[in-house]
Amino acid sequence: MQTNQNLSPLVIILLGPPGSGKGTQAKRLAVDYGIPQISTGDLFREHMSAQTPVGIKAKEYIQAGLLVPDEVVLKMLFERIEHSDCAKGYLLDGFPRTIPQAEQLAQHESMKTRLLVLCLEVSDEEIIKRAAGRLVCRHCGTIYNRDASPPKHENCCDHCGGEVYRRPDDNPEVVCKRLSVYRSQTLPLIEYYDHSGHLTMFEGNQPPDFVHAELKRYIDDSLI
Ligand code: AMP
């Protein structure tokens, strides 16, 4: 399997609406290429369970299906990508979500390297269906689907034995709000990265293994 061991740093940005499979794919690709997956949503959930000031601030936005203010996200993200494990590159899942976030990221030192922006396209109908069935491990973040890929034992993660739960912001009302926020604030990023020549679109309605194979084939070809 090709990894990123002997190459210049690689930054991958996964774009797509909530529930498009970014988290599932990001976890697999991070292993494939030996780079950390950085999910701003996961970082906020960690802050919320530790009840840090960032977590307390983020909670009100997350519960309402709104974006956490840029200054809070940017500070948290930049602290994370300074870690030594990002020296060979990293994979962003859920960041950037606004044009100002993308502009700030573009100025970071790590962006003077190979950048791939991969966007998963998924229909609204499929997103609503997936969110209704999505379950997540509270401990390691493994993502399950109640119908398509449930954990072997109810409420218990196959990998770490952690508690598997339903994200409160996956309830239908909040999902609709998150979708409308995606359309108004995050969709403009597609044009932004298309314009910069970094964007590739992928059909995300397919099963996870198929999407993973497509993404991996594309990244492997780009690394040659
Ligand atoms: P996710 O796990 O990526 O679906 O993110 C869950 C929630 O965290 C989002 O609905 C936002 O409220 C918040 N969030 C995550 N990433 C960002 C970001 N880059 N900018 C603003 N809010 C974010």
Side-chain angles (χ1 to χ4, degrees):
M1 188 177 286
Q2 185 162 12
T3 67
N4 197 40
Q5 297 307 310
N6 302 313
L7 301 164
S8 64
L10 168 69
V11 175
I12 299 176
I13 294 176
L14 271 186
L15 284 182
S20 56
K22 295 190 300 294
T24 301
Q25 298 300 333
K27 282 183 178 42
R28 295 178 69 167
L29 294 173
V31 172
D32 292 339
Y33 297 100
I35 53 177
Q37 170 209 7
I38 301 178
S39 154
T40 39
D42 283 351
L43 292 175
F44 281 132
R45 282 183 283 278
E46 282 166 25
H47 276 284
M48 286 194 291
S49 46
Q51 300 193 340
T52 66
V54 167
I56 291 164
K57 174 125 188 113
K59 190 172 178 180
E60 55 184 296
Y61 294 93
I62 293 177
Q63 284 183 338
L66 300 172
L67 294 185
V68 178
D70 284 345
E71 65 272 16
V72 180
V73 187
L74 285 163
K75 184 168 182 295
M76 180 179 77
L77 190 274
F78 285 126
E79 278 172 13
R80 177 63 187 88
I81 62 181
E82 292 305 329
H83 281 205
S84 57
D85 66 344
C86 292
K88 291 200 170 80
Y90 50 87
L91 190 156
L92 294 174
D93 155 16
F95 183 95
R97 263 175 152 105
T98 64
I99 296 278
Q101 289 180 14
E103 288 171 345
Q104 290 292 314
L105 178 68
Q107 289 172 27
H108 193 265
E109 188 64 23
S110 61
M111 299 306 276
K112 294 179 191 142
T113 178
R114 293 171 301 159
L115 171 66
L116 299 175
V117 182
L118 315 176
C119 181
L120 302 177
E121 283 188 292
V122 178
S123 63
D124 287 4
E125 202 188 357
E126 179 70 14
I127 281 165
I128 290 162
K129 198 175 95 191
R130 286 186 193 179
R134 177 157 66 174
L135 300 168
V136 185
C137 172
R138 209 182 276 282
H139 183 66
C140 72
T142 299
I143 300 163
Y144 298 91
N145 186 283
R146 205 178 41 206
D147 311 309
S149 54
K152 291 194 185 82
H153 303 285
E154 208 179 335
N155 302 332
C156 181
C157 178
D158 297 351
H159 300 286
C160 73
E163 183 202 356
V164 170
Y165 80 119
R166 181 152 189 247
R167 276 173 47 176
D169 60 341
D170 272 344
N171 86 55
E173 261 175 45
V174 183
V175 169
C176 284
K177 183 69 197 163
R178 288 162 65 204
L179 269 175
S180 87
V181 166
Y182 175 78
R183 281 193 206 98
S184 60
Q185 293 182 259
T186 308
L187 259 187
L189 289 177
I190 292 185
E191 202 181 316
Y192 176 91
Y193 284 119
D194 192 26
H195 194 246
S196 68
H198 293 106
L199 182 79
T200 309
M201 305 295 289
F202 292 84
E203 164 64 81
N205 278 321
Q206 303 293 333
D209 285 350
F210 180 90
V211 177
H212 172 245
E214 293 286 298
L215 292 168
K216 193 168 179 309
R217 189 180 12 243
Y218 176 79
I219 299 168
D220 284 346
D221 288 349
S222 307
L223 293 181
I224 294 168

